[in-house]
Amino acid sequence: MTTPQRDKARRILKDAKLYCTEARIAILQVLMQAARPLRQDQIAERVAGFQPAIRGRNALDTKNALNKVTVYRTLESLIEVSLVHRAFTYQRAWHFELADHCTEHQCNPHFTCTNCGVTHCLTDILLPMAKVSQKGFIVNRQQVRLEGLCPACA
Amino acid sequence: MTTPQRDKARRILKDAKLYCTEARIAILQVLMQAARPLRQDQIAERVAGFQPAIRGRNALDTKNALNKVTVYRTLESLIEVSLVHRAFTYQRAWHFELADHCTEHQCNPHFTCTNCGVTHCLTDILLPMAKVSQKGFIVNRQQVRLEGLCPACA
DNA sequence: CAGGATTTGCAACGGAGTTGCAGATTTTTT
DNA sequence: AAAAAATCTGCAACTCCGTTGCAAATCCTG
Ligand SMILES: [Zn+2]
Ligand SMILES: [Zn+2]
Ligand SMILES: [Zn+2]
Ligand SMILES: [Zn+2]
C-alpha cells in the first residue's frame, strides 16, 4: 500500500509541515489525477472510489468515503499552505485544483460550456495582466473565466 | 412621482417588452445609481430607502422593502432580456450590475481588495480576448477578476 | 510506547438561492 | 370604463453548500 504517487503526496505534506493524514494523502492524490477543478463532493466521491481498499474492503465500499467536513477542513489546510487554490464557483459550489496549475499571479483560464456544463482548464493560455498599478492597485491574483460552447457542443 | 430617471426606466422596460412593475422600475433605478455590483439584499435595502413610495405608501415606511423572492425573480427577468448581468460571486452571493457596463463579449474587470473587501469596477480597462477559437471553443463571454490591495489599503 | 498536538466525524446550524401557489397588479380586450 | 387575460408578488417551505462545536480518533515526538 505504498505507491510512487502516494509517497510523493507524503513528501509534499511533510515539506509543508502538515500532518500526513490519510485524508490529506488521498485528497492530494485525487487532485493530482484530476483534469479539471473539482467540487468537494466530487473529491469525496473519488477518494471513496480510488482508495486501495482498507482492510480488504471492496474499493466501492462507502466506508472508504470521507466525511464532507473532513474534506472541507482538509482543503482549507491545503489552501493555507498554498498547495491548493479555489479555482472558481459554479452553481454556488467552489471548485478546487492544485495550485501548481497556476503561475504566481494568474491561475490558468477556465472555460465552462453553457450547454453541457463541462469546464476545461486552458493551461496553455495566459492573458497579459491588467495594468492597474498606476492607479494604485496592487494585484496579487488575476482570474479569467470564459463562457460559451465547447468543441463537442459547438 | 415621475422623474426623468424613473421615466427612463419605464422606457427601457417597455422596449424590452416587460411589464412595467414597481419592483422592476425601482430595481433598475438602484442599479443605474450603483457604482459597483450589488447583492440581492443590498438591492432590496436600497429600494426600501430611496423609493418614492411604492403602492402609495410613505417613502420612509419600511414596508417599501421588496420581498427577497421578488428581487430574485425581478433580476432573473432583467437578466433574461440582457439588461442585467451577474457580475461575480463573492462569499457565496451573486453581485449584479447593469449589462451596459460591459462590451458584448467581455464584462469590465472587477477588483476586490483582500483587506477591506471593497470591489471596484475597472470600467476603463479591457483585456484582449483569449484566443481559443482555433481549438474549437466559441467564447460568448470573458470575465476577469482581480484580487489584491486597493489604493486605500496599499 | 506514553503524552500532547492535531485531525476526524457527527450533528446541528447558517444563509443565499429556489419553488409552488393563492392573491394582487398590469396589460389587453370588450 | 369594466372585464378578461396575462403576468407578477409575497409567503412559507425547501434545497444545498458551507461552517462551527465538541468528543473521539489519529498522528507525531521523545
Ligand atoms: Zn459543451
Ligand atoms: Zn485549472
Ligand atoms: Zn482595500
Ligand atoms: Zn462592474
Side-chain angles (χ1 to χ4, degrees), chain B residues 61-78:
Chain B
D61 191 331
T62 53
K63 284 300 202 173
N64 270 330
L66 292 175
N67 183 282
K68 71 165 188 166
V69 179
T70 301
V71 175
Y72 167 74
R73 283 197 271 231
T74 297
L75 288 169
E76 272 201 328
S77 69
L78 295 175

Side-chain angles (χ1 to χ4, degrees), chain A residues 113-118 149-150 152-153:
Chain A
C113 178
T114 50
N115 183 245
C116 65
V118 173
L149 295 176
C150 73
C153 295

